[in-house]
Amino acid sequence: MTNSEKNRLKDKAFQVFGIFCTFIGLVVLAIFLIDIVIEGIGRIDWDFLTSLPSRRAARAGILTAWAGTLWILVLSALIAFPLGIAAGIYLEEYAKKTKLSDFLEINIANLAGVPSIIYGLLGLELFVRFMHLGPVLLVGALTLSLLILPIVIVTTREAIKAVPRTIRDGSFALGASKWQTVWNQVLPASFGGILTGVILALSRAVGEAAPLIVIGALAYVPFVPKTPMDEFTVLPIQIFNWTSRPQAAFLTNAAAAIIVLLLITFLLNGIAVYLRHRQQKKIKW
Amino acid sequence: MLNLSFSRFKLSAAILVGASLAFTSCGGNTQEGGSDMSGSISIDGSSTVYPVTEAVAEEYRAEAPDVKVTVGVSGTGGGMKKFSRGEIDIVNASRSINDSEAKTAKENGISYVQLSVAYDGLTVVVHPSNDWAKDITVAELKKMWEPEAQGTITRWNQIRPEWPDKEIHLYGAGVESGTYDYFTEAIVGKSHSSRGDYTASEDDNVLVQGVSTDPLALGFFGYAYYEENKSKLKAIPVDNGAGPVLPSLETVKDGSYAPLSRALFLYVSSKAVVRPEVVDFINFYLENAGELAQEVGYIPLPDNVYNEQKQKFEQFATGAATAKQ
C-alpha cells in the first residue's frame, strides 16, 4: 500500500467515524421526539391550551404556564438585549487592554459556565429578599437575564469582531466619531449576528425550571399574569410537576406540554436562522 | 439599511408585547359561587402535599373566584424557610417543623398551628417475581437501611437466612425529601441517617421504574405510586410486632400500618390567619380534604380527626384575632 493510499484510507475511516458520531446525537434526539410526539400529540387541543391547572389530568391545561413563559421571554429579551449589547460593544470597541478588561473578560467567560441553579440562588437573595420584589415575573426575568447575559455578551463581541477593520477605518477617515462609527457602521453590519445570539440565548432561558423554582415561581397559578409584578409559573415547571405525579395520565399531559415548549424553542431557533440568513444576503462589502 | 432593521426590530418587539398583553386580558374570571371573599393566599412547600392542596385550591376557586390561591413546590425545607420569615401564608409540610425553623419563626414574631390533612402510607415494594419476601419486620428494614449496613449488608440472606443468597438492590427517596426524613426516623430511629449506597431519587416515578425492572430490588415510596403501578410491583406487609400488615386505605387510616404511615400537614401563620379569606380557605380545606386527598391518591383522616383539626384551627384563629386587637 502506498503512502497516499494509506492516507486516503485514514481519510475514509474518519469520514465514517464522523458520520457515526453525528448520528448518535441525531438518533437519540429522534427517538426522544418520536416518543414524546406519540405520547402527547393527541392531548393537544384548544382546551389544553386554554385551561387552568387541575388535579384531574384530563381537565388540566397549560394556559397559565405558557402565558408565564411568554411573559418571561419578552421581559428577559427587553432586559438582556440592551445590557448585553452595550457590554459587548464596550469590551470590543472601547475597552483598552488593561488588567481590568482582562479580568472582566475572564469572568464573563466563566459566568457562561455557572450552573443555572446558582443564578436562581443569586436571584432569590438579591431580588426577592434584598430588594423585596417577591417571586414575581420581573424577578424571574431578571434572574434569567443574568443567566443569559454572558452568552449575549460573547456573541455580540463575536459578531462585532467579524466586521472588517477597513469599514471602521473608512468611517473614521470621513471624520466620524467612535460612537458614530459604532452606531452607523458596526452595529448595522453585525446586527443579524447579535440578534441570532440573543434569540439562541433566550431559547435556552425558556427551558429553565431550576432557577425559577429557587426564586419561588409557583406550580399552581390559577390566573394569567397581567403585570410584571404578578406571580407566575412557566412550562418547564408545569412539565416537571406533571412528570413526578403517580397517575399515568399526567405523563401524557407532560408530553403534550413538552411538545408546546419544543414548538416555542423551534420557532425561536427558526427566527434566528432566518435572521442570520437574511443578514448574510444583505451585506456586501 | 441600518435604520430599517432597527425599526423592524422595534416593530416585532411591539407586536410581541402587544400580543402578550392581548392574551392576558382574555383569561377572564367567571363570576359564580357564593362567596364575595377577595384577596390572595400564598402557599408553598412539600411536593408530596402539593396534589392535595392543588385539588383544594381548584375546588375553592368555584367557591370564591376572587381569592387568588397560589401553590409552590420548593420542598418542605424551602417552604418552611419562607414561612418562618413571613414570606408566605401557609406551608405544605410532609414532616413537623424543626427546632431551627421554629426559632426563626419566633424571632420574626410568627406563631403557627399545625393541621393534619391526610395520611400517606410509605410502601415497601419488591419486584413482582420476588417469591421469597412475603413479609418484613421493622428490625429487618433497620438492618438493611441503617448507616452501618453500608457495604456490609449486600445480600438477601444476610437479612433473613432462609432468603436466597442473592444481591439486594435498594431504592429509596433522595436525602433532600421529607419522605427520606420520615422513613429514616421511623425505621433507623434517627432522622436523616441511613446508608448511602442505594439508588436515590426525589422522583418516585424513577423509583417505580427501578424496582419494577430489577428482580433483586427492594424500595420504598408513597402509597399513591404503588396504587397506580400495582401490576408492576409487589408490596410487602410490614411487621411491627403485631403481625405483618399491608398498607391500604383501612390499615393506614386506623393506624395499624405502623410505623410507616405518616400524616401530611399544613402550617398556618398567625400573621395570615387574621385575614378572613385565609380562615375561609382553611375551613374549606378541612371540610373537603378527605374526599380530595383520596382522589389524588392519599388516605383521608377519620372524620373525628378532621373535626379536631377544625377546632384546633378555630382556637388558633380566635387567639390570633384577640392578640391583634
Side-chain angles (χ1 to χ4, degrees), chain A residues 33-284:
Chain A
L33 285 181
I34 292 167
D35 187 48
I36 290 292
V37 169
I38 291 174
E39 171 91 33
I41 195 79
R43 182 69 185 84
I44 298 180
D45 53 20
W46 187 245
D47 277 346
F48 185 66
L49 295 175
T50 55
S51 294
L52 296 171
S54 167
R55 68 180 182 285
R56 296 202 185 103
R59 223 170 54 186
I62 55 168
L63 174 67
T64 51
W66 72 258
T69 288
L70 215 63
W71 263 105
I72 285 283
L73 197 62
V74 173
L75 288 176
S76 304
L78 292 178
I79 298 163
F81 195 72
L83 281 179
I85 293 179
I89 293 174
Y90 168 76
L91 286 172
E92 202 54 46
E93 296 287 331
Y94 286 88
K96 302 233 162 50
K97 266 276 163 206
T98 61
K99 286 238 165 68
L100 179 70
S101 68
D102 279 350
F103 179 75
L104 285 177
E105 238 166 85
I106 292 170
N107 277 293
I108 288 168
N110 280 341
L111 278 179
V114 171
S116 58
I117 196 150
I118 307 292
Y119 284 99
L121 292 169
L122 174 72
L124 177 68
E125 279 309 321
L126 185 62
F127 303 127
V128 179
R129 301 247 156 91
F130 184 70
M131 290 164 73
H132 290 291
L133 291 173
V136 297
L137 273 168
L138 181 65
V139 168
L142 283 168
T143 306
L144 291 183
S145 299
L146 288 179
L147 175 77
I148 62 173
L149 211 47
I151 311 175
V152 176
I153 294 173
V154 170
T155 43
T156 301
R157 295 187 60 184
E158 293 303 321
I160 290 176
K161 236 184 245 172
V163 178
R165 182 79 238 165
T166 46
I167 300 289
R168 293 184 181 79
D169 290 343
S171 174
F172 289 139
L174 290 170
S177 69
K178 195 153 206 167
W179 174 242
Q180 285 172 318
T181 305
V182 167
W183 185 252
N184 293 318
Q185 304 302 330
V186 177
L187 265 189
S190 55
F191 203 64
I194 295 174
L195 217 51
T196 309
V198 172
I199 292 171
L200 290 180
L202 282 175
S203 68
R204 175 182 171 194
V206 166
E208 289 289 351
L212 295 179
I213 289 181
V214 172
I215 64 155
L218 302 158
Y220 176 81
V221 182
F223 53 87
V224 174
K226 292 195 168 56
T227 73
M229 299 312 281
D230 280 341
E231 288 158 317
F232 69 104
T233 187
V234 290
L235 276 170
I237 294 181
Q238 185 67 72
I239 292 167
F240 174 66
N241 183 268
W242 276 338
T243 53
S244 63
R245 300 291 276 265
Q247 293 85 0
F250 280 112
L251 297 181
T252 308
N253 281 7
I258 288 172
I259 296 175
V260 174
L261 183 61
L262 280 175
L263 284 178
I264 294 177
T265 320
F266 287 162
L267 190 71
L268 284 174
N269 290 355
I271 295 172
V273 169
Y274 167 75
L275 285 172
R276 186 185 315 184
H277 183 68
R278 206 184 59 166
Q279 185 76 10
Q280 273 164 358
K281 269 202 317 206
K282 219 164 49 180
I283 296 173
K284 289 197 187 68

Side-chain angles (χ1 to χ4, degrees), chain A residues 54 59 129 188 243-244 278, chain B residues 2 8 58 71 85 205 225:
Chain A
S54 167
R59 223 170 54 186
R129 301 247 156 91
T243 53
S244 63
R278 206 184 59 166
Chain B
L2 159 70
R8 278 266 174 93
E58 186 189 353
V71 194
R85 286 167 179 242
N205 281 324
Y225 292 84

